[in-house]
Each structure stands twice: as structure tokens, then as C-alpha cells.
Amino acid sequence: MWSDEQRKLFLSHVEEVVGTRYGEYAVDEGDGTVSVPSLDCVLGLSNLAQTCRTVDPGEWRTIVYNHIERLDGFSPDALSDKLSDYEQVRDDLRIRVVTCVHTDKVDAVVDPLPLGLSSCLSVDLGGAACPVDQGYFDGWGVERDEVMAVALANSLAADQLRAETAPELPGDFQVYIGESMFASAHLLDLARAAPHIGEMGAVVAVPAAHTVMVCPIDLAEPAEKFADSSATMLAASYIRYLAGPNSVSPNALWWRPDHPLEGFARMEQGFELVAPEPLRSHLRTGLAAEQEPPRPDAGLDL
């Protein structure tokens, strides 16, 4: 969404700041990262770029500088020492819902979720997130399920979601906002954030790390109402995904209590409904019952 001139200006600020502070570096425009050998780290630039996109270019250098200087607090030796001791890092473990873009530079500890998402074991570094490398995890000697459960509990306790009162588009869905990039972990336990959801669950989206969007499936309501509300939510979610910052995914999942997450809609290149048959059947039955006579433009094309 930038012109070539804007992209070059942004990268020039990044390279100047990183080169001045840390010497050798390598920018990968395709991945949106900058590698700093002296710190043995790879810094993602997508969130920084999204932040800059919302303000005047005259402010970019200050924003880039403030973002890059945070690396000073993450010395490789201190971070390695922390990650080497499970008891020392235990309270700072978190779960972050991410795509492969956030983990393809490391051998991260992840559990796969539908439609290209995964729950990533991470460490909270006071506003920054560091994925836990498999090598550190193997050295802990702790069962994987126990570690992931601890990290999820830490995430849910540390960042309570609040309902947003004025979503940008009307519809019967909720927008929940958290304070940290680990707010996305609530996707794995929505019963806590939205206890009103019934047995059919809800369509959910995580367009950005701080945002979880929820469209409940209420069996007492007309299926056509859900079709309209979910379509509106997906449009709103896609807008938030594009705007960022901390974009995660434009795709939507089906969440039910005590069931694994399943895919609902893929949004990367146009709209593709991938909902499993139980949900499709419910929607088809509901929509057919409401159509007297049938209308070809009612609800979703199932």
C-alpha cells in the first residue's frame, strides 16, 4: 500500500538506524526482516511499517529509532541465560497465535491450527515477543503439554480482553481488544472471554495480535441473520488485518466449546468458504426454511 518512493524512504531509515547502532546488518525485503549478527537476532519490520503508514513520513525516523533501540535490552547472553532455565522463564511464557511469517527464521515450538495459523510458545520481553526455540525447550526436560498449558494460562491471566463498543461496521458480532500481542491466545479459550456462546460456537477471527472478533452461532436465531452478520464481520476483520499493526491473519475459524478449532473461511485471495459439513448443514437447513419462495441472493452461497 506504499509507493516505491515511500518504501525506499522507510527502508533507508531502518538501514541508517540499524547500521549506526549495530554495524553489520542484512535486510530481507521479501520477508520484511532485518538481521543483526552482533545481537544474533532477526527483527520483524511489518509492525513497524504498519505503524509508520498511519503517520506523516516526517515522523518515521523517530518511530524507527524508538523501535530499533529496544534491541539494546535484549542482549544475546542475557536472553540465552533466561531461556536456558525453565523455572526462571516459566512466569514469562506466553502463547501467541501467529502465521509462519513470524516463525520461519527459527525452529519455534508451535502447535498447528487451521488455515495457516499456529499457537507459538513465546517469551514476554516487556512489550516484545520472542518465540521459544526448540533447542531451549528440549533442554527444559518438561512435558510439552504442561509447558503449553502454563503459557496459555499466563497469557489469559496477564491480558484480559475488553469488548469494543463501536465496531466500524454494524452486525451481530463482538470485537474484543487486549493490551498485548498475546491477546490472540484467547482464541484458544473463548469460553472465558465470551461465556454466552452456545453449543454451536462462533466464527472467530484474529486480524491483529490485539484483536479477537467473534460472531456467535445462535440456534434460536434465523440462520440468515448469522450469514449476514458473519459476512459483515469478515469484511471488518479484513480491513483490520490490512491496517494492523501486528497483523495476524485475514482467515476465519469455527470455535466450539470442547472441540478443536476448524476452518470457516479463507480470505487470502478472495473468499473461499471451507466450513465443515455440520456447520454447512445447519446453515443450509436454516436458510432453506426461511425462503418462501427461495431467493438466489439470500445469505451465503453454500
Side-chain angles (χ1 to χ4, degrees):
M1 299 178 68
W2 269 346
S3 67
D4 188 56
E5 182 180 346
Q6 289 172 317
R7 180 184 59 80
K8 290 179 179 178
L9 176 61
F10 170 75
L11 289 175
S12 70
H13 287 315
V14 170
E15 294 187 30
E16 184 176 351
V17 171
V18 173
T20 299
R21 294 184 71 86
Y22 305 112
E24 184 182 355
Y25 66 90
V27 171
D28 188 324
E29 292 188 41
D31 286 343
T33 60
V34 56
S35 302
V36 184
S38 63
L39 296 178
D40 190 25
C41 77
V42 179
L43 179 67
L45 298 176
S46 59
N47 297 337
L48 176 60
Q50 287 177 325
T51 299
C52 287
R53 195 174 60 198
T54 63
V55 300
D56 186 272
E59 301 178 46
W60 288 4
R61 181 174 174 79
T62 299
I63 292 174
V64 169
Y65 179 86
N66 290 338
H67 186 82
I68 298 296
E69 73 166 350
R70 296 165 65 194
L71 289 174
D72 293 347
F74 307 144
S75 73
D77 290 341
L79 189 57
S80 178
D81 181 65
K82 184 181 184 70
L83 288 171
S84 297
D85 186 338
Y86 175 68
E87 291 303 321
Q88 182 170 277
V89 77
R90 186 180 191 276
D91 290 344
D92 293 321
L93 291 177
R94 301 287 188 270
I95 292 294
R96 183 184 181 196
V97 175
V98 301
T99 63
C100 62
V101 171
H102 296 276
T103 58
D104 62 0
K105 295 293 185 180
V106 294
D107 185 16
V109 179
V110 298
D111 286 337
L113 300 172
L115 302 184
L117 292 169
S118 61
S119 53
C120 177
L121 182 63
S122 305
V123 178
D124 182 2
L125 297 175
C130 175
V132 175
D133 189 271
Q134 186 71 45
Y136 288 112
F137 174 83
D138 292 341
W140 293 345
V142 183
E143 291 293 329
R144 184 188 185 96
D145 288 348
E146 177 184 339
V147 173
M148 298 301 274
V150 165
L152 178 60
N154 289 346
S155 300
L156 300 180
D159 196 350
Q160 302 296 317
L161 297 181
R162 69 181 189 279
E164 188 176 83
T165 56
E168 61 268 45
L169 294 172
D172 189 14
F173 61 90
Q174 290 79 48
V175 180
Y176 295 98
I177 304 295
E179 297 299 326
S180 78
M181 62 184 64
F182 307 109
S184 57
H186 284 271
L187 181 67
L188 306 178
D189 188 11
L190 274 180
R192 182 181 304 224
H196 60 282
I197 297 178
E199 62 177 304
M200 280 296 289
V203 169
V204 297
V206 185
H210 302 77
T211 307
V212 179
M213 304 181 76
V214 180
C215 185
I217 305 169
D218 189 344
L219 294 175
E221 295 284 348
E224 187 173 12
K225 180 179 179 181
F226 165 76
D228 290 342
S229 293
S230 61
T232 305
M233 187 191 82
L234 291 178
S237 174
Y238 193 74
I239 291 171
R240 290 177 181 240
Y241 166 73
L242 291 177
N246 293 295
S247 295
V248 178
S249 173
N251 299 326
L253 307 178
W254 182 26
W255 180 89
R256 286 180 290 170
D258 303 317
H259 284 75
L261 285 162
E262 299 180 78
F264 177 75
R266 193 184 300 276
M267 302 282 289
E268 288 116 331
Q269 297 178 345
F271 175 83
E272 179 188 2
L273 185 70
V274 296
E277 182 53 35
L279 182 52
R280 288 174 181 257
S281 177
H282 164 66
L283 295 176
R284 279 198 300 263
T285 301
L287 291 175
E290 294 153 19
Q291 295 174 11
E292 291 290 344
R295 300 196 335 265
D297 60 340
L300 293 173
D301 179 12
L302 302 178

